Amino acid sequence: MIAEQMSHAPLHAFYTNDPQAMLSELNARTEKGGNRIVIHETWETIPYLTLRENLFLGLPRRQRNQLQFSTYLKLLNFREEILQRPLAALTDFEMLRLQILQQLLRQPEILIFQDVTIRLTIKENQELLYLAGLLSRQLGIEILFITSDPSFAAAVSQMND
């Protein structure tokens, strides 16, 4: 049913009181295949690694393309200097965008955002929607938001109208 609800619109949103259950249902009901990656509310990093090391964590060396990395940095509105900052000095929105960067390096076909708007301001939510639309258009990635925020789900719906 969920897969049938997804249209050809660039962004999709599912409103639910239980985002984890919705993600599980989505995974169970959609066909296997396609590189689906989930972006979570918080980015689990390893504190003793540098920011760059955390971004490349688990990525094979052959996929560590510096040109692609720089392109994604710019696309997400970052400058290289961000990599020098300590993790503790980053805002929630910067951490979310860095998590997106990390996952873009894995070249997903579908990017699923699981209830990521909880700690963001209205302005940051608007920026996230803009970035999601940009990623969808420029990289051909399908974007899906699973959210417990009804106004955010409505905003995604309005973008598709």
Side-chain angles (χ1 to χ4, degrees):
M1 177 153 187
I2 290 174
E4 294 154 6
Q5 292 172 1
M6 293 175 68
S7 67
H8 295 290
L11 305 178
H12 313 283
F14 292 107
Y15 168 73
T16 179
N17 288 326
D18 189 351
Q20 183 59 46
M22 177 64 82
L23 180 62
S24 297
E25 181 182 344
L26 177 69
N27 285 331
R29 291 181 179 233
T30 56
E31 60 187 61
K32 299 299 179 203
N35 187 7
R36 287 183 278 179
I37 294 180
V38 179
I39 302 289
H40 299 278
E41 174 192 355
T42 56
W43 183 32
E44 297 298 324
T45 58
I46 299 177
Y48 57 84
L49 294 180
T50 67
L51 187 50
R52 182 180 288 276
E53 290 168 334
N54 271 290
L55 288 168
F56 287 119
L57 192 64
L59 192 65
R61 288 204 187 274
R62 61 178 166 28
Q63 285 185 273
R64 296 180 186 189
N65 181 323
Q66 183 59 41
L67 179 60
Q68 186 179 47
F69 180 74
S70 295
T71 300
Y72 291 155
L73 267 176
K74 289 176 188 167
L75 189 63
L76 292 165
N77 201 22
F78 282 125
R79 291 185 294 218
E80 288 275 342
E81 293 81 37
I82 189 85
L83 302 175
Q84 306 308 315
R85 292 178 51 199
L87 288 169
L90 300 171
T91 67
D92 289 331
F93 191 52
E94 288 171 330
M95 291 289 283
L96 177 63
R97 291 180 10 240
L98 286 166
Q99 184 183 175
I100 294 168
L101 171 62
Q102 180 190 44
Q103 301 309 338
L104 286 177
L105 294 169
R106 286 149 178 77
Q107 301 175 338
E109 293 173 24
I110 302 171
L111 204 52
I112 302 170
F113 290 82
Q114 183 187 6
D115 219 18
V116 298
T117 62
I118 294 171
R119 296 181 183 180
L120 302 181
T121 65
I122 292 171
K123 183 177 187 267
E124 290 168 338
N125 280 332
Q126 291 170 339
E127 286 183 51
L128 177 60
L129 285 174
Y130 172 79
L131 284 173
L134 191 65
L135 294 174
S136 178
R137 285 187 308 277
Q138 290 195 4
L139 303 177
I141 298 172
E142 186 172 347
I143 306 287
L144 172 63
F145 290 96
I146 299 174
T147 182
S148 60
D149 181 351
S151 61
F152 187 80
V156 173
S157 178
Q158 287 176 352
M159 286 181 68
N160 290 326
D161 291 340

Short mmCIF file of all heavy atoms in Angstrom, two decimals, residues 113-157:
data_model
loop_
_atom_site.label_atom_id
_atom_site.label_comp_id
_atom_site.label_asym_id
_atom_site.label_seq_id
_atom_site.Cartn_x
_atom_site.Cartn_y
_atom_site.Cartn_z
N PHE A 113 14.20 10.11 5.16
CA PHE A 113 14.44 10.93 6.35
C PHE A 113 13.45 10.49 7.42
O PHE A 113 12.24 10.64 7.25
CB PHE A 113 14.21 12.42 6.02
CG PHE A 113 15.26 13.00 5.14
CD1 PHE A 113 15.20 12.84 3.76
CD2 PHE A 113 16.31 13.73 5.67
CE1 PHE A 113 16.17 13.39 2.94
CE2 PHE A 113 17.27 14.29 4.86
CZ PHE A 113 17.20 14.11 3.49
N GLN A 114 13.97 9.94 8.52
CA GLN A 114 13.11 9.43 9.58
C GLN A 114 13.01 10.44 10.71
O GLN A 114 13.90 10.56 11.53
CB GLN A 114 13.61 8.10 10.11
CG GLN A 114 12.69 7.53 11.16
CD GLN A 114 13.26 6.28 11.81
OE1 GLN A 114 14.39 5.90 11.55
NE2 GLN A 114 12.48 5.67 12.64
N ASP A 115 11.90 11.19 10.73
CA ASP A 115 11.55 12.12 11.80
C ASP A 115 12.72 13.04 12.17
O ASP A 115 13.08 13.18 13.34
CB ASP A 115 11.05 11.35 13.02
CG ASP A 115 9.89 12.06 13.71
OD1 ASP A 115 9.26 12.93 13.07
OD2 ASP A 115 9.61 11.76 14.88
N VAL A 116 13.29 13.70 11.18
CA VAL A 116 14.48 14.52 11.39
C VAL A 116 14.18 15.96 11.77
O VAL A 116 15.10 16.71 12.12
CB VAL A 116 15.39 14.53 10.13
CG1 VAL A 116 15.88 13.13 9.81
CG2 VAL A 116 14.66 15.13 8.94
N THR A 117 12.93 16.38 11.73
CA THR A 117 12.60 17.80 11.91
C THR A 117 12.37 18.20 13.36
O THR A 117 12.17 19.38 13.64
CB THR A 117 11.35 18.16 11.09
OG1 THR A 117 10.24 17.38 11.56
CG2 THR A 117 11.57 17.91 9.62
N ILE A 118 12.43 17.28 14.28
CA ILE A 118 12.10 17.54 15.68
C ILE A 118 12.93 18.66 16.29
O ILE A 118 12.41 19.53 16.97
CB ILE A 118 12.25 16.25 16.52
CG1 ILE A 118 11.20 15.23 16.07
CG2 ILE A 118 12.11 16.54 18.01
CD1 ILE A 118 11.39 13.85 16.67
N ARG A 119 14.22 18.67 16.03
CA ARG A 119 15.13 19.67 16.64
C ARG A 119 15.38 20.89 15.76
O ARG A 119 16.17 21.74 16.12
CB ARG A 119 16.47 19.01 16.94
CG ARG A 119 16.39 17.91 17.96
CD ARG A 119 17.76 17.35 18.19
NE ARG A 119 17.70 16.24 19.13
CZ ARG A 119 18.74 15.56 19.51
NH1 ARG A 119 19.93 15.87 19.04
NH2 ARG A 119 18.62 14.57 20.35
N LEU A 120 14.72 20.96 14.61
CA LEU A 120 14.99 22.04 13.68
C LEU A 120 14.00 23.19 13.84
O LEU A 120 12.86 22.99 14.22
CB LEU A 120 14.92 21.52 12.23
CG LEU A 120 15.85 20.37 11.87
CD1 LEU A 120 15.68 19.99 10.42
CD2 LEU A 120 17.30 20.71 12.18
N THR A 121 14.46 24.38 13.52
CA THR A 121 13.59 25.55 13.53
C THR A 121 12.74 25.55 12.25
O THR A 121 13.01 24.77 11.32
CB THR A 121 14.42 26.85 13.56
OG1 THR A 121 15.15 26.94 12.32
CG2 THR A 121 15.35 26.89 14.75
N ILE A 122 11.77 26.42 12.19
CA ILE A 122 10.93 26.53 10.99
C ILE A 122 11.80 26.88 9.78
O ILE A 122 11.66 26.30 8.70
CB ILE A 122 9.81 27.56 11.19
CG1 ILE A 122 8.82 27.04 12.23
CG2 ILE A 122 9.10 27.89 9.88
CD1 ILE A 122 7.78 28.04 12.68
N LYS A 123 12.71 27.82 9.96
CA LYS A 123 13.61 28.22 8.86
C LYS A 123 14.46 27.03 8.40
O LYS A 123 14.65 26.82 7.20
CB LYS A 123 14.51 29.37 9.31
CG LYS A 123 15.42 29.89 8.21
CD LYS A 123 16.23 31.07 8.70
CE LYS A 123 17.00 31.69 7.58
NZ LYS A 123 18.31 31.24 7.40
N GLU A 124 14.97 26.25 9.34
CA GLU A 124 15.78 25.08 8.98
C GLU A 124 14.93 24.02 8.27
O GLU A 124 15.40 23.37 7.34
CB GLU A 124 16.44 24.50 10.22
CG GLU A 124 17.53 25.41 10.77
CD GLU A 124 18.02 25.01 12.16
OE1 GLU A 124 17.30 24.30 12.89
OE2 GLU A 124 19.14 25.43 12.52
N ASN A 125 13.66 23.87 8.69
CA ASN A 125 12.76 22.94 7.99
C ASN A 125 12.57 23.39 6.55
O ASN A 125 12.56 22.56 5.62
CB ASN A 125 11.40 22.86 8.69
CG ASN A 125 11.43 21.94 9.90
OD1 ASN A 125 12.20 21.00 9.95
ND2 ASN A 125 10.58 22.23 10.86
N GLN A 126 12.42 24.68 6.34
CA GLN A 126 12.26 25.22 4.99
C GLN A 126 13.52 24.97 4.17
O GLN A 126 13.45 24.58 3.00
CB GLN A 126 11.93 26.71 5.03
CG GLN A 126 10.56 26.99 5.59
CD GLN A 126 10.32 28.47 5.87
OE1 GLN A 126 11.26 29.26 6.02
NE2 GLN A 126 9.06 28.85 5.95
N GLU A 127 14.68 25.18 4.77
CA GLU A 127 15.94 24.92 4.08
C GLU A 127 16.09 23.44 3.75
O GLU A 127 16.58 23.08 2.67
CB GLU A 127 17.13 25.37 4.93
CG GLU A 127 17.30 26.87 4.99
CD GLU A 127 18.53 27.28 5.78
OE1 GLU A 127 19.63 26.75 5.51
OE2 GLU A 127 18.39 28.12 6.68
N LEU A 128 15.65 22.58 4.67
CA LEU A 128 15.72 21.14 4.43
C LEU A 128 14.85 20.76 3.23
O LEU A 128 15.26 19.96 2.38
CB LEU A 128 15.29 20.36 5.68
CG LEU A 128 15.24 18.85 5.53
CD1 LEU A 128 16.61 18.28 5.16
CD2 LEU A 128 14.72 18.22 6.82
N LEU A 129 13.66 21.31 3.16
CA LEU A 129 12.78 21.03 2.02
C LEU A 129 13.41 21.51 0.72
O LEU A 129 13.35 20.82 -0.31
CB LEU A 129 11.41 21.68 2.23
CG LEU A 129 10.50 20.98 3.23
CD1 LEU A 129 9.23 21.79 3.45
CD2 LEU A 129 10.17 19.57 2.76
N TYR A 130 14.01 22.69 0.76
CA TYR A 130 14.69 23.20 -0.43
C TYR A 130 15.82 22.25 -0.84
O TYR A 130 15.96 21.89 -2.02
CB TYR A 130 15.23 24.61 -0.18
CG TYR A 130 16.11 25.10 -1.30
CD1 TYR A 130 15.54 25.59 -2.48
CD2 TYR A 130 17.50 25.04 -1.20
CE1 TYR A 130 16.33 26.02 -3.53
CE2 TYR A 130 18.30 25.46 -2.24
CZ TYR A 130 17.72 25.95 -3.40
OH TYR A 130 18.52 26.35 -4.44
N LEU A 131 16.65 21.85 0.12
CA LEU A 131 17.76 20.94 -0.16
C LEU A 131 17.27 19.60 -0.70
O LEU A 131 17.86 19.05 -1.63
CB LEU A 131 18.61 20.71 1.10
CG LEU A 131 19.55 21.82 1.51
CD1 LEU A 131 20.18 21.52 2.86
CD2 LEU A 131 20.62 22.05 0.46
N ALA A 132 16.20 19.09 -0.11
CA ALA A 132 15.65 17.80 -0.56
C ALA A 132 15.19 17.90 -2.01
O ALA A 132 15.46 16.99 -2.82
CB ALA A 132 14.51 17.37 0.35
N GLY A 133 14.51 18.98 -2.35
CA GLY A 133 14.09 19.18 -3.73
C GLY A 133 15.27 19.30 -4.67
O GLY A 133 15.28 18.74 -5.78
N LEU A 134 16.29 20.00 -4.23
CA LEU A 134 17.51 20.16 -5.02
C LEU A 134 18.20 18.82 -5.26
O LEU A 134 18.60 18.50 -6.38
CB LEU A 134 18.45 21.13 -4.29
CG LEU A 134 19.66 21.65 -5.02
CD1 LEU A 134 19.25 22.53 -6.19
CD2 LEU A 134 20.53 22.45 -4.06
N LEU A 135 18.32 18.02 -4.20
CA LEU A 135 18.95 16.70 -4.33
C LEU A 135 18.15 15.81 -5.28
O LEU A 135 18.73 15.10 -6.11
CB LEU A 135 19.04 16.02 -2.96
CG LEU A 135 19.96 16.67 -1.93
CD1 LEU A 135 19.83 15.97 -0.59
CD2 LEU A 135 21.40 16.64 -2.41
N SER A 136 16.84 15.87 -5.16
CA SER A 136 15.98 15.07 -6.02
C SER A 136 16.16 15.45 -7.49
O SER A 136 16.33 14.58 -8.34
CB SER A 136 14.52 15.23 -5.59
OG SER A 136 13.68 14.49 -6.43
N ARG A 137 16.15 16.74 -7.76
CA ARG A 137 16.28 17.21 -9.14
C ARG A 137 17.68 16.99 -9.71
O ARG A 137 17.83 16.49 -10.82
CB ARG A 137 15.92 18.70 -9.24
CG ARG A 137 14.45 19.00 -9.14
CD ARG A 137 14.15 20.47 -9.43
NE ARG A 137 14.94 21.41 -8.64
CZ ARG A 137 14.66 21.80 -7.40
NH1 ARG A 137 13.60 21.31 -6.79
NH2 ARG A 137 15.43 22.66 -6.77
N GLN A 138 18.69 17.38 -8.95
CA GLN A 138 20.05 17.35 -9.49
C GLN A 138 20.69 15.97 -9.50
O GLN A 138 21.51 15.67 -10.35
CB GLN A 138 20.94 18.34 -8.74
CG GLN A 138 20.58 19.77 -9.05
CD GLN A 138 21.66 20.74 -8.62
OE1 GLN A 138 22.73 20.36 -8.15
NE2 GLN A 138 21.39 22.02 -8.79
N LEU A 139 20.33 15.14 -8.51
CA LEU A 139 20.97 13.83 -8.42
C LEU A 139 20.04 12.68 -8.80
O LEU A 139 20.47 11.53 -8.83
CB LEU A 139 21.50 13.62 -6.99
CG LEU A 139 22.48 14.67 -6.48
CD1 LEU A 139 22.87 14.39 -5.04
CD2 LEU A 139 23.71 14.76 -7.38
N GLY A 140 18.77 12.99 -9.03
CA GLY A 140 17.82 11.95 -9.41
C GLY A 140 17.50 11.00 -8.27
O GLY A 140 17.19 9.83 -8.50
N ILE A 141 17.57 11.49 -7.06
CA ILE A 141 17.32 10.66 -5.88
C ILE A 141 15.86 10.84 -5.45
O ILE A 141 15.36 11.95 -5.41
CB ILE A 141 18.23 11.08 -4.71
CG1 ILE A 141 19.69 10.87 -5.07
CG2 ILE A 141 17.89 10.32 -3.44
CD1 ILE A 141 20.66 11.43 -4.04
N GLU A 142 15.21 9.74 -5.14
CA GLU A 142 13.87 9.81 -4.59
C GLU A 142 13.98 10.15 -3.10
O GLU A 142 14.80 9.56 -2.39
CB GLU A 142 13.16 8.47 -4.77
CG GLU A 142 11.72 8.50 -4.37
CD GLU A 142 11.01 7.21 -4.74
OE1 GLU A 142 11.56 6.40 -5.50
OE2 GLU A 142 9.91 7.02 -4.22
N ILE A 143 13.19 11.10 -2.64
CA ILE A 143 13.25 11.56 -1.25
C ILE A 143 11.94 11.21 -0.56
O ILE A 143 10.87 11.52 -1.06
CB ILE A 143 13.47 13.08 -1.17
CG1 ILE A 143 14.69 13.52 -1.97
CG2 ILE A 143 13.51 13.55 0.28
CD1 ILE A 143 16.02 13.17 -1.37
N LEU A 144 12.05 10.60 0.60
CA LEU A 144 10.88 10.22 1.39
C LEU A 144 11.07 10.70 2.82
O LEU A 144 12.11 10.43 3.44
CB LEU A 144 10.70 8.71 1.38
CG LEU A 144 9.65 8.12 2.30
CD1 LEU A 144 8.26 8.61 1.93
CD2 LEU A 144 9.70 6.61 2.25
N PHE A 145 10.10 11.44 3.33
CA PHE A 145 10.12 11.87 4.72
C PHE A 145 9.09 11.05 5.49
O PHE A 145 7.93 10.98 5.09
CB PHE A 145 9.75 13.36 4.85
CG PHE A 145 10.79 14.30 4.34
CD1 PHE A 145 10.71 14.81 3.06
CD2 PHE A 145 11.85 14.67 5.14
CE1 PHE A 145 11.67 15.68 2.57
CE2 PHE A 145 12.82 15.54 4.67
CZ PHE A 145 12.73 16.05 3.38
N ILE A 146 9.52 10.45 6.58
CA ILE A 146 8.61 9.81 7.52
C ILE A 146 8.63 10.72 8.75
O ILE A 146 9.68 10.88 9.37
CB ILE A 146 9.06 8.39 7.88
CG1 ILE A 146 9.10 7.51 6.63
CG2 ILE A 146 8.14 7.79 8.93
CD1 ILE A 146 9.68 6.13 6.85
N THR A 147 7.49 11.32 9.06
CA THR A 147 7.49 12.37 10.07
C THR A 147 6.31 12.29 11.02
O THR A 147 5.23 11.83 10.65
CB THR A 147 7.51 13.76 9.39
OG1 THR A 147 7.56 14.77 10.38
CG2 THR A 147 6.32 13.98 8.48
N SER A 148 6.53 12.73 12.24
CA SER A 148 5.45 12.85 13.23
C SER A 148 4.96 14.29 13.31
O SER A 148 4.17 14.63 14.17
CB SER A 148 5.93 12.37 14.60
OG SER A 148 7.02 13.16 15.04
N ASP A 149 5.43 15.13 12.39
CA ASP A 149 5.05 16.55 12.34
C ASP A 149 4.04 16.76 11.20
O ASP A 149 4.43 16.77 10.03
CB ASP A 149 6.30 17.39 12.12
CG ASP A 149 6.03 18.89 12.07
OD1 ASP A 149 4.85 19.29 12.03
OD2 ASP A 149 7.00 19.65 12.05
N PRO A 150 2.77 16.93 11.54
CA PRO A 150 1.76 17.06 10.48
C PRO A 150 1.96 18.28 9.59
O PRO A 150 1.69 18.23 8.40
CB PRO A 150 0.43 17.13 11.24
CG PRO A 150 0.79 17.51 12.63
CD PRO A 150 2.18 17.03 12.87
N SER A 151 2.47 19.38 10.14
CA SER A 151 2.67 20.57 9.32
C SER A 151 3.81 20.36 8.32
O SER A 151 3.77 20.87 7.20
CB SER A 151 2.91 21.81 10.18
OG SER A 151 4.05 21.64 10.98
N PHE A 152 4.82 19.61 8.71
CA PHE A 152 5.92 19.33 7.78
C PHE A 152 5.43 18.42 6.65
O PHE A 152 5.73 18.65 5.48
CB PHE A 152 7.10 18.68 8.51
CG PHE A 152 8.31 18.52 7.65
CD1 PHE A 152 9.17 19.57 7.42
CD2 PHE A 152 8.58 17.30 7.03
CE1 PHE A 152 10.29 19.43 6.60
CE2 PHE A 152 9.68 17.15 6.22
CZ PHE A 152 10.54 18.21 6.00
N ALA A 153 4.64 17.41 7.00
CA ALA A 153 4.07 16.53 5.97
C ALA A 153 3.20 17.33 5.01
O ALA A 153 3.24 17.11 3.79
CB ALA A 153 3.27 15.40 6.62
N ALA A 154 2.43 18.27 5.53
CA ALA A 154 1.58 19.12 4.68
C ALA A 154 2.44 19.99 3.77
O ALA A 154 2.10 20.20 2.60
CB ALA A 154 0.67 19.97 5.54
N ALA A 155 3.55 20.50 4.28
CA ALA A 155 4.45 21.34 3.47
C ALA A 155 5.03 20.53 2.32
O ALA A 155 5.12 21.04 1.19
CB ALA A 155 5.55 21.92 4.35
N VAL A 156 5.39 19.30 2.57
CA VAL A 156 5.92 18.44 1.49
C VAL A 156 4.83 18.21 0.45
O VAL A 156 5.07 18.30 -0.75
CB VAL A 156 6.44 17.10 2.05
CG1 VAL A 156 6.82 16.15 0.91
CG2 VAL A 156 7.64 17.33 2.97
N SER A 157 3.63 17.95 0.92
CA SER A 157 2.51 17.73 0.02
C SER A 157 2.25 18.95 -0.86
O SER A 157 2.01 18.84 -2.06
CB SER A 157 1.26 17.38 0.82
OG SER A 157 0.16 17.21 -0.02
#
